[in-house]
């Protein structure tokens, strides 16, 4: 059946996506082949495909398809993350829309509703990944809340706890008062907010004064409300202004709390007054200062509840009027911040800010970098609370050593410094979250032996039977253990022969479970054949922004539980940015929908754009012109295949290069071999851009633009065999980048339904460049290019037939290539006599000069006048642009995009001037 006249991406993408998956071609049975394994960073079950996913998954699919073509047992693990916070929020919002709420249900009933939502609405991203062409093993799609995965998560928690690598501790966390849970740093967005910087007097106690006679220390803060829980004032140990008062007391004006002035290098003598109020329970830096000052976390004061409303501190010194207030103004109602400022001002302890006009204000206006929860949308509160922590410092040691000795290869290498800097300064990892949806922490609490629930005894185990065994060891074999409050009476509990254990209500951080992805998805903790064959994985492709949240933690858990690295190579790519280089965000309105790009340009064009632009260590700027260019590339390939079909060129029957005697055929075979070698070298170095550009250059330039032109009108049986073989090699080499069009053409050019391209063989031409053929054809291409350029510069039509005078040394070559010279160079005559006197175009090709007389061909005087005027105009515009660009004040004031455009315009005018100068030179 003849090929369609026009290339329509939409018509073939759905067809081939279904065909590949339904036939099991994403994971063909290759039990004896070398395994190749890659795991997909699991997208959230709530997620939709964004442009970052498009880049990440394109790069993974390029590698998987390449290795599959190389005959490997390529496994691309796919699945979704349960996304604790995000998923619970989606379901709760749906409930709110129905005037319902989570707390109307038991925990079990709510979790069941989440499962129902997943079944009905979750996972739309998997269909979107299929649209992109992702050849994942969909038959083994994973989910982090699947029973086998949950078992792995629980085992890891329990085993780490047994080793002392998971423990419960009181520390500061990022607390989201809206969601009422701790969140990770990745879930915190820093936003610039207009705020204030207040200065206060903190009076020295007991009549103590500074050396300058003041009886107070000046402190400044952007969060005045936190003074209700202040526990110290810090000064630098070398700050001469305060040396005499280190160790003396402050009497806090509002609470009356006495606390010490401590020496700590956290205080910067050059910043403000050099003195810093310390609130260890509500500031991460202050927490560390507090510990150095001798405060234990349990002793640090907490002044807020989970809603960020003021509560009484442990020392009972917060005045009654503050209790119950929100931390700051909310919904138009003043909070603790506003009241603290008012009371400090009334008492004369506020130091007013005087602006440049002499006006007095309570605070100095400041733009403050403020942390917000990316989902709750409210200001994050550093909050002192009991949570579960992983001893990340201990777990970080083996991965660091693996990077040092090369067992983990980070690409590009520039990220190694960042990796080590973070790992060497790693903090305990908070893994508990105050949610209902997620892996519930396998810990139960009971009274200690003194029957004191303020310091309960914990029991950590994989099953309730194992918990009972632990509890009986602690309480005694005769004690009956209960888990259900309804199953035991208060009277029975008071007897001492019955103990009620209460399970920890928290769930584990989503990153905790996803850290097991490289091995739990393969069947661990069972020692499955799949696990033995595909662990460690070969490569992980990841955005640099989750290097610490996911990649490093996978390395920690993989080496702890598998005794080996999770993957041999960690490839970190950059961000996809807006055309102007700005980071994409919904608030800026510059987010690009990859599905819209697929609709507009086709999945193949989007994929090729992502790969071709992926240069190690650099971000990618979206560029519609390039996307359109790659769509045109697909169209050009389609038309080239139609030309072949129309000229009796069909699918090759040879894996190796066919026999060839004609220079043009020997040349193109050599070009195939060179392209294969270039791509293999690029893939080995993870240079996606170089691999993509190698096949692009060969397919567009060498094959479509030159080879097909060179063989027109001379397509004999040898040429048909070679052309068909070369087109096949192009389709195979291009397939990892553009799978849809290549599979369609592969099938359309021959009857090989039983040998689909997706599982075909990577080229092995068993051929090399033929030096003589390459030299002849390369010379021909350069000559024709020079002739075409000269015609364009001189205003001659492309089809104008000219006479050329060659050096005698080129006679053998021109005789050999006479037919191509006649058809492509449009030479009316070839002469080896000296060129006649007069105007002529001088073409220099590989050091030899070919002369083309122009007398009688064009009006020399008129052409010289035209070129001279055009050159003057181009030069004037070029120099004007250069003047603006060389003026620093102009460049600094202009918008970045305007400067970029001016630079592009200057380059274009400079090139135009060079071209016109060359054209004038040709006229002599």
């Amino acid at each position: 059946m003849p090929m369609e006249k026009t290339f329509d991406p939409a018509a073939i993408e759905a067809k081939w996506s279904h065909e590949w998956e339904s036939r099991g071609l994403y994971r063909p049975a290759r039990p004896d082949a070398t395994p190749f394994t890659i795991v997909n960073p699991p997208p959230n079950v709530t997620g939709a495909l964004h442009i970052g996913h498009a880049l990440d998954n394109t790069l993974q699919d390029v590698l998987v398809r390449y290795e599959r073509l190389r005959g490997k047992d390529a496994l691309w693990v796919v699945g979704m993350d349960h996304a604790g916070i995000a998923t619970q929020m989606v379901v709760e919002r749906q409930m709110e829309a129905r005037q319902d709420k989570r707390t109307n249900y038991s925990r079990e009933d709510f979790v069941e509703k989440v499962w129902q939502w997943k079944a009905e609405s979750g996972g739309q991203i998997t269909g979107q990944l299929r649209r992109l062409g992702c050849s994942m093993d969909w038959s083994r799609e994973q989910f982090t809340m699947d029973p086998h995965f949950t078992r792995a998560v629980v085992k890891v928690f329990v085993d780490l706890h047994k080793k002392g690598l998971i423990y419960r501790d009181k520390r500061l966390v990022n607390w989201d008062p809206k969601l009422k849970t701790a969140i990770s740093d990745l879930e915190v967005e820093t936003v610039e907010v207009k705020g204030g910087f207040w200065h206060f007097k903190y009076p020295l106690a007991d009549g103590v004064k500074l050396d300058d006679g003041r009886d107070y220390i000046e402190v400044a803060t952007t969060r005045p409300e936190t003074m209700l829980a202040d526990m110290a004032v810090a000064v630098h140990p070398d700050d001469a202004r305060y040396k005499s008062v280190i160790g003396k007391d402050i009497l806090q004006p509002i609470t009356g709390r006495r606390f010490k002035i401590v020496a700590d290098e956290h205080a910067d003598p050059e910043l403000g007054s050099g003195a810093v109020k310390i609130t260890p329970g509500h500031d991460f830096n202050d927490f560390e200062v507090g510990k150095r000052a001798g405060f234990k976390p349990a002793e640090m004061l907490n002044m807020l509840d989970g809603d960020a409303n003021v509560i009484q501190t442990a020392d009972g010194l917060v005045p009654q009027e503050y209790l119950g207030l929100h931390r700051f103004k909310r919904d138009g109602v003043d909070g603790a911040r506003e009241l603290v400022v008012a009371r400090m001002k009334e008492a004369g302890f506020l130091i007013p800010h005087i602006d440049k006009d002499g006006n007095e204000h309570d605070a100095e206006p400041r733009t403050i970098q403020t942390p917000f929860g990316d989902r709750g949308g409210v200001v994050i509160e550093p909050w002192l609370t009991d949570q579960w922590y992983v001893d990340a410092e201990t777990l970080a040691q083996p991965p660091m050593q693996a990077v040092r000795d090369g067992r983990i290869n980070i690409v590009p290498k520039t990220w190694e410094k960042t990796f080590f800097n973070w790992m060497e300064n790693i903090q305990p990892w908070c893994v508990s979250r105050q949610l209902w949806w997620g892996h519930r922490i396998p810990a139960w609490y009971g009274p200690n032996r003194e029957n004191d629930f303020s310091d309960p005894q914990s029991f950590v185990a994989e099953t309730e039977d194992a918990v009972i065994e632990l509890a009986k060891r602690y309480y005694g074999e005769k004690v009956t253990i209960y888990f259900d409050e309804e199953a035991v009476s208060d009277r029975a509990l008071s007897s001492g022969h019955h103990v009620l254990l209460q399970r920890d209500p928290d769930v584990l951080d989503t990153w905790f479970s996803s850290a097991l992805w490289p091995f739990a998805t393969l069947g661990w903790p069972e020692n499955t054949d799949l696990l033995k064959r595909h662990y460690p994985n070969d490569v992980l492709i990841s955005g640099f922004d989750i290097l610490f949240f996911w990649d490093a933690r996978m390395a920690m858990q993989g080496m702890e539980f598998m005794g080996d690295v999770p993957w041999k190579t960690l490839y970190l790519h950059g961000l996809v940015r807006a055309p102007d280089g700005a980071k994409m965000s919904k608030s800026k309105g510059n987010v690009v929908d990859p599905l819209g790009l697929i609709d507009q340009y086709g999945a193949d064009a989007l994929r090729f754009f992502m790969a071709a632009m992926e240069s190690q260590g650099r971000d990618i700027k979206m560029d519609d012109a390039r996307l359109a260019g790659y769509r045109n590339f697909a169209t050009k390939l389609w038309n080239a295949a139609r030309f072949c079909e129309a000229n009796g060129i069909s699918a090759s029957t040879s894996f190796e290069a066919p026999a060839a005697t004609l220079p043009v055929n020997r040349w193109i075979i050599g070009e195939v071999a060179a392209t294969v070698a270039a791509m293999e070298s690029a893939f080995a170095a993870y240079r996606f851009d170089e691999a993509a550009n190698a096949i692009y250059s060969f397919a567009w330039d060498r094959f479509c633009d030159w080879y097909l032109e060179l063989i027109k009108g001379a397509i004999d049986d040898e040429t048909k065999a070679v052309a068909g073989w070369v087109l096949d090699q192009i389709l195979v080499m291009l397939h990892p980048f553009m799978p849809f069009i290549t599979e369609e053409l592969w099938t359309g050019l021959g009857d090989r339904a039983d040998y689909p391209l997706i599982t075909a063989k990577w080229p092995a031409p068993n051929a090399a460049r033929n030096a003589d053929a390459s030299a002849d054809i390369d010379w021909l291409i350069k000559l024709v290019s020079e002739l075409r350029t000269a015609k364009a510069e001189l205003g001659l039509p492309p089809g104008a037939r000219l006479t050329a005078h060659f050096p005698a040394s080129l006679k053998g070559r021109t005789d050999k290539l006479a037919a191509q010279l006649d058809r492509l160079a449009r030479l009316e005559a070839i002469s080896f006599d000296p060129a006649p006197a007069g105007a002529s175009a001088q073409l220099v090709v590989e050091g030899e000069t070919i002369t083309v007389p122009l007398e009688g061909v064009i009006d020399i005087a008129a052409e010289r006048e035209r070129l001279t005027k055009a050159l003057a105009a181009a030069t004037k515009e070029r120099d004007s642009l250069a003047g603006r660009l060389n003026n620093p004040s102009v460049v600094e004031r202009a918008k970045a995009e305007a400067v970029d455009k001016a630079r592009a315009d200057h380059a274009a005018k400079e090139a135009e001037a060079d071209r016109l100068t060359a054209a004038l030179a040709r006229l002599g």
Side-chain angles (χ1 to χ4, degrees):
M1 182 177 176
M3 290 176 57
E4 294 291 335
K5 184 176 180 180
T6 57
F7 169 53
D8 179 10
I12 64 172
E13 289 171 1
K15 176 183 81 172
W16 283 113
S17 183
H18 177 266
E19 177 79 3
W20 291 325
E21 185 175 347
S22 63
R23 292 178 59 185
L25 298 176
Y26 290 153
R27 185 84 200 291
R30 293 176 175 174
D32 300 323
T34 301
F36 176 83
T37 315
I38 190 168
V39 295
N40 178 44
N44 288 350
V45 66
T46 58
L49 191 74
H50 58 61
I51 202 69
H53 290 135
L55 170 62
D56 200 76
N57 287 280
T58 291
L59 300 181
Q60 292 175 72
D61 196 44
V62 166
L63 283 187
V64 169
R65 288 181 184 268
Y66 170 63
E67 297 295 356
R68 191 184 292 121
L69 289 167
R70 295 177 73 204
K72 293 186 179 179
D73 176 20
L75 169 63
W76 187 6
V77 175
V78 61
M80 292 184 296
D81 192 287
H82 65 278
I85 293 176
T87 305
Q88 182 161 320
M89 279 189 67
V90 167
V91 176
E92 288 199 58
R93 282 173 181 161
Q94 289 185 351
M95 287 182 163
E96 289 172 9
R98 301 191 299 267
Q99 285 75 52
D100 201 356
K101 58 183 178 179
R102 170 174 56 92
T103 51
N104 287 343
Y105 300 86
S106 68
R107 182 182 190 126
E108 292 72 20
D109 287 344
F110 175 78
V111 169
E112 181 57 34
K113 286 188 175 294
V114 179
W115 279 108
Q116 290 172 9
W117 172 87
K118 177 186 180 291
E120 295 167 4
S121 308
Q124 64 167 316
I125 195 169
T126 61
Q128 295 167 342
L129 289 170
R130 286 173 167 93
R131 281 201 66 189
L132 188 63
C134 296
S135 58
M136 299 159 164
D137 183 10
W138 296 103
S139 68
R140 293 190 62 259
E141 187 175 345
Q142 305 285 301
F143 184 54
T144 50
M145 287 285 284
D146 284 340
H148 76 277
F149 209 100
T150 298
R151 183 188 167 208
V153 171
V154 170
K155 178 174 175 55
V156 165
F157 186 97
V158 172
D159 287 0
L160 288 176
H161 183 264
K162 287 177 181 176
K163 297 175 183 178
L165 296 174
I166 277 187
Y167 55 92
R168 195 159 172 82
D169 195 10
K170 186 182 289 293
R171 296 177 64 90
L172 281 185
V173 296
N174 295 313
W175 184 260
D176 189 318
K178 174 75 178 295
L179 303 179
K180 297 181 181 60
T181 180
I183 61 176
S184 71
D185 290 343
L186 189 64
E187 293 157 325
V188 177
E189 291 182 340
T190 300
V191 179
E192 289 189 347
V193 174
K194 298 294 183 184
F197 198 47
W198 288 266
H199 294 252
F200 297 105
K201 298 176 182 178
Y202 265 25
L204 292 157
D206 306 320
V208 173
K209 294 185 179 180
L210 297 175
D211 292 345
D212 63 6
R214 283 182 294 156
D215 61 356
Y216 66 88
I217 283 182
E218 179 182 341
V219 297
T221 180
T222 60
R223 303 171 67 211
E225 67 277 10
T226 59
M227 68 173 60
L228 299 175
D230 277 354
M231 298 184 72
V233 166
V235 297
H236 195 280
D238 298 330
D239 193 332
R241 295 171 294 178
Y242 303 117
K243 276 194 172 183
S244 65
V245 296
I246 292 174
K248 303 300 183 182
D249 284 357
I250 289 288
L251 193 61
Q252 210 286 325
I254 288 182
T255 61
R257 187 179 297 122
R258 290 179 71 107
F259 46 73
K260 298 292 183 185
I261 299 168
V262 300
D264 196 283
E265 292 185 355
H266 170 65
D268 184 352
E270 303 299 320
L271 187 63
S273 68
V276 184
K277 61 184 277 307
I278 301 300
T279 318
H282 293 281
D283 183 276
F284 288 102
N285 290 321
D286 291 5
F287 179 77
E288 298 301 327
V289 174
K291 287 199 300 182
R292 291 193 291 270
F295 295 112
K296 295 177 182 178
E299 299 169 343
M300 295 178 183
L301 298 175
N302 174 43
M303 55 165 280
L304 298 173
D305 63 14
D307 294 302
N309 296 327
V310 177
I311 58 173
Q312 187 56 267
T313 52
D315 60 6
L317 294 178
V318 176
Q320 182 68 32
E321 66 176 331
Y322 293 91
L323 301 182
L325 293 179
H326 193 59
R327 52 187 166 164
F328 44 66
K329 181 180 285 189
R330 181 177 62 176
D331 299 331
V333 178
D334 282 350
R337 175 176 299 177
E338 290 72 28
L339 185 57
V340 162
V341 171
R343 294 291 182 260
M344 290 291 280
K345 185 176 183 179
E346 289 169 4
F349 293 110
L350 174 69
I351 302 173
H353 168 68
I354 309 299
D355 66 22
K356 61 182 180 180
D357 297 321
N359 298 315
E360 187 174 294
H361 306 274
D362 286 352
E364 174 189 350
R366 285 278 184 95
T367 298
I368 301 166
Q369 301 291 324
T370 306
F372 280 76
D374 66 348
R375 290 189 169 87
V378 299
V379 175
I380 293 305
E381 186 65 42
W383 201 46
L384 195 62
T385 180
D386 291 309
Q387 303 283 348
W388 287 94
Y389 289 87
V390 170
D391 180 359
E393 182 180 2
T394 298
L395 292 180
Q397 302 311 309
M400 284 195 288
Q401 184 56 42
V403 174
R404 290 190 188 101
D405 62 30
R407 283 175 292 155
I408 293 177
N409 175 36
I410 297 179
V411 181
K413 287 285 185 187
T414 50
W415 280 107
E416 282 191 5
K417 183 178 180 181
T418 305
F419 172 82
F420 284 121
N421 183 59
W422 188 76
M423 294 288 267
E424 289 165 356
N425 296 281
I426 200 166
Q427 297 297 308
W429 172 19
C430 177
V431 294
S432 46
R433 297 290 182 266
Q434 290 63 54
L435 302 168
W436 282 4
W437 171 247
H439 298 105
R440 195 162 178 186
I441 290 174
W444 286 257
Y445 303 101
N448 60 27
R449 289 194 178 98
E450 285 71 44
N451 205 30
D452 179 9
F453 258 104
S454 65
D455 183 24
Q457 178 67 27
S458 64
F459 304 95
V460 175
E462 294 184 44
T463 64
E464 288 189 352
D465 287 344
V467 170
I468 291 172
E469 184 178 339
L470 291 174
K472 283 182 175 290
R473 287 183 203 166
Y474 181 78
Y475 296 115
E477 288 296 327
K478 295 182 180 180
V479 171
T480 302
I481 307 298
Y482 293 91
F483 297 103
D484 185 351
E485 292 184 35
E486 296 179 1
V488 58
S489 66
D490 291 340
R491 182 176 178 181
L493 290 174
S494 64
S495 70
H497 298 296
H498 305 269
V499 172
L500 174 66
L501 299 184
Q502 296 177 329
R503 187 166 184 178
D504 195 311
D506 292 350
V507 300
L508 285 164
D509 175 18
T510 295
W511 297 106
F512 185 89
S513 50
S514 61
L516 318 186
W517 198 246
F519 55 96
T521 54
L522 301 175
W524 189 90
E526 299 298 326
N527 191 25
T528 64
D529 291 339
L530 200 66
L531 182 66
K532 287 183 280 189
R533 183 168 174 76
H534 290 280
Y535 190 94
N537 307 161
D538 287 87
V539 60
L540 176 74
I541 293 182
S542 164
F544 71 83
D545 52 336
I546 55 172
L547 170 60
F548 311 122
F549 296 100
W550 190 48
D551 307 345
R553 288 165 178 171
M554 277 190 287
M556 293 179 197
Q557 301 288 42
M559 297 194 75
E560 175 68 22
F561 287 93
M562 296 298 297
D564 200 353
V565 298
W567 8 257
K568 300 157 194 172
T569 297
L570 170 59
Y571 181 90
L572 298 169
H573 60 74
L575 301 175
V576 182
R577 294 184 175 272
D580 62 358
K583 189 173 181 179
M584 291 187 187
S585 70
K586 291 179 181 177
S587 61
K588 293 179 181 177
N590 61 358
V591 174
V592 175
D593 176 14
L595 297 179
L597 296 176
I598 290 174
D599 291 338
Q600 187 174 1
Y601 300 108
D604 285 331
L606 176 60
R607 290 168 57 102
F608 201 92
F609 170 82
M610 291 297 179
M613 299 299 290
E614 172 52 27
S615 181
Q616 288 179 12
R618 295 177 59 187
D619 290 342
I620 294 173
K621 288 184 183 179
M622 285 305 304
D623 187 335
D624 281 353
R626 279 189 176 270
L627 278 163
Y630 293 132
R631 180 194 59 198
N632 294 342
F633 173 51
T635 300
K636 190 177 184 77
L637 184 65
W638 184 271
N639 291 336
R642 289 184 65 240
F643 169 85
C644 289
E645 180 186 55
N647 285 275
I649 299 168
S650 59
S652 177
T653 57
S654 171
F655 184 62
E656 295 184 353
T661 58
L662 297 173
V664 69
N665 289 331
R666 287 186 291 162
W667 165 75
I668 198 66
I669 288 171
E671 293 295 307
V672 169
T675 303
V676 171
M679 290 186 70
E680 289 175 349
S681 176
F683 276 127
Y686 295 95
R687 292 307 306 244
F688 294 93
D689 54 343
E690 292 179 2
N693 291 325
I695 183 57
Y696 178 90
S697 177
F698 173 70
W700 184 298
D701 181 49
R702 311 308 265 178
F703 182 73
C704 295
D705 279 357
W706 287 111
Y707 180 70
L708 295 185
E709 284 295 315
L710 288 166
I711 66 173
K712 275 182 182 177
I715 304 178
D716 57 13
D717 288 343
E718 175 190 305
T719 302
K720 285 181 180 179
V722 171
W725 178 83
V726 172
L727 182 54
D728 272 2
Q729 309 316 297
I730 288 173
L731 297 179
V732 177
M733 288 187 283
L734 186 58
H735 180 75
F737 302 98
M738 290 182 149
F740 294 110
I741 187 174
T742 52
E743 188 75 84
E744 180 74 9
L745 293 176
W746 177 270
T747 304
L749 290 168
D751 182 14
R752 39 190 175 188
D754 58 341
Y755 186 54
L757 176 55
I758 190 174
T759 52
K761 293 182 179 179
W762 183 254
N766 193 23
R769 270 192 169 131
N770 181 284
D772 290 340
S774 292
D776 287 342
I777 301 302
D778 286 344
W779 176 85
L780 175 64
I781 290 171
K782 290 172 186 173
L783 172 62
V784 173
S785 298
E786 284 290 318
L787 269 169
R788 289 174 176 173
T789 300
K791 287 179 179 179
E793 289 172 350
L794 297 170
L796 289 170
R801 299 187 72 83
L802 304 173
T803 297
H805 293 259
F806 290 80
S809 58
L810 293 176
K811 190 171 189 313
R813 179 168 277 173
T814 57
D815 288 347
K816 193 188 311 181
L817 301 171
Q820 288 90 344
L821 283 169
D822 176 65
R823 190 173 67 258
L824 296 181
R826 296 286 198 272
L827 291 180
E828 188 173 57
I830 294 175
S831 174
F832 298 96
D833 297 330
S840 63
Q842 308 291 313
L843 311 178
V844 180
V845 180
E846 296 183 355
E848 301 270 18
T849 300
I850 295 99
T851 303
V852 179
L854 297 175
E855 292 289 349
V857 177
I858 60 173
D859 184 334
I860 303 297
E863 184 62 18
R864 183 177 285 114
E865 182 181 359
R866 182 186 72 81
L867 291 172
T868 301
K869 287 182 179 178
L871 175 59
T875 302
K876 181 179 179 181
E877 184 66 18
R878 177 200 66 191
D879 294 345
S880 173
L881 288 163
R884 284 153 53 194
L885 289 168
N886 290 331
N887 186 334
S889 63
V890 172
V891 173
E892 289 168 7
R893 289 198 312 270
K895 291 183 178 179
E897 52 266 34
V899 174
D900 289 342
K901 185 179 185 306
R903 288 189 176 125
D905 291 344
H906 175 263
K909 289 299 176 183
E910 189 169 45
E912 183 181 352
D914 290 343
R915 179 181 63 79
L916 292 167
T917 301
L920 277 168
R922 291 189 195 280
L923 293 178

